[in-house]
Amino acid sequence: MYIPVILIGILYFLLDLILYLTKYQFTEEFFFDPLQNIMLFPFSILFALFGNYFYHLHTKKYIDKVNLLPFNVEQKKTWLKNKGGTSWLGVMFTALFLILYGFISAYLLPTNVDQVLKIKDGSFYDCPTVTIGDGFDVFFDEPHWEYISSASVFDIVRFSGIAERGGEPLEVTIDFIIKAVFV
């Protein structure tokens, strides 16, 4: 059943494309992202409800085909055994397809963890009890956080706000550079 596997992969890719085009940022909990799970839940239910039905249709197609062949009962059983059963080639194909899908999705449609929250919820070494976001909100007027995408191995989160210096407003911009670490 290679075609259904490919169609499911295309469906997941289209969902990733929708998330990418809407500039969605995943939560830091990679295995539980609320929006992604809400989008995939109906499909999971449909696959669970109709998976056996689709397999039944698949096998019925081969049974109908063998009944049209001029074979005796034993030859038909042998033909069906050769066409059916499990296949290591199928397992390898599916595993390779899933790995290839993962790489294509990750590199063509990178949907990052929300890097802004990663910085805002972090803290400086000298003040580990105060988050950067809370400290900047107290010190700066009109705080604005922005994720800047980069073509390098770095993610950049830009903060801008207004601080007073000598009684005069001063526009401040700070770039936080996050280096991607592959373990």
Side-chain angles (χ1 to χ4, degrees), residues 69-176:
L69 297 174
F71 293 156
N72 64 33
V73 174
E74 287 303 315
Q75 290 174 321
K76 288 179 181 181
K77 285 182 183 178
T78 304
W79 188 86
L80 285 171
K81 275 187 178 180
N82 289 337
K83 289 290 181 182
T86 58
S87 164
W88 281 106
L89 179 64
V91 171
M92 297 301 282
F93 168 78
T94 303
L96 182 65
F97 180 76
L98 290 174
I99 291 169
L100 184 64
Y101 162 75
F103 280 116
I104 289 172
S105 178
Y107 287 106
L108 291 181
L109 307 173
T111 317
N112 296 319
V113 170
D114 192 344
Q115 302 295 4
V116 171
L117 285 179
K118 185 183 273 188
I119 296 297
K120 285 176 76 172
D121 292 342
S123 62
F124 292 115
Y125 291 115
D126 292 340
C127 295
T129 59
V130 178
T131 66
I132 294 171
D134 289 343
F136 278 30
D137 285 345
V138 169
F139 188 78
F140 293 98
D141 292 327
E142 300 177 30
H144 176 74
W145 295 87
E146 175 182 15
Y147 173 75
I148 312 257
S149 112
S150 173
S152 71
V153 296
F154 300 106
D155 286 321
I156 299 171
V157 173
R158 178 166 290 156
F159 170 82
S160 58
I162 299 175
E164 282 192 32
R165 182 170 183 179
E168 293 292 318
L170 177 67
E171 289 185 28
V172 176
T173 301
I174 300 171
D175 285 347
F176 294 88

Side-chain angles (χ1 to χ4, degrees), residues 52-79:
N52 286 340
Y53 174 74
F54 290 128
Y55 184 71
H56 173 74
L57 291 179
H58 175 74
T59 56
K60 188 175 179 331
K61 178 178 77 172
Y62 282 107
I63 292 169
D64 291 343
K65 186 174 183 178
V66 76
N67 284 332
L68 296 175
L69 297 174
F71 293 156
N72 64 33
V73 174
E74 287 303 315
Q75 290 174 321
K76 288 179 181 181
K77 285 182 183 178
T78 304
W79 188 86

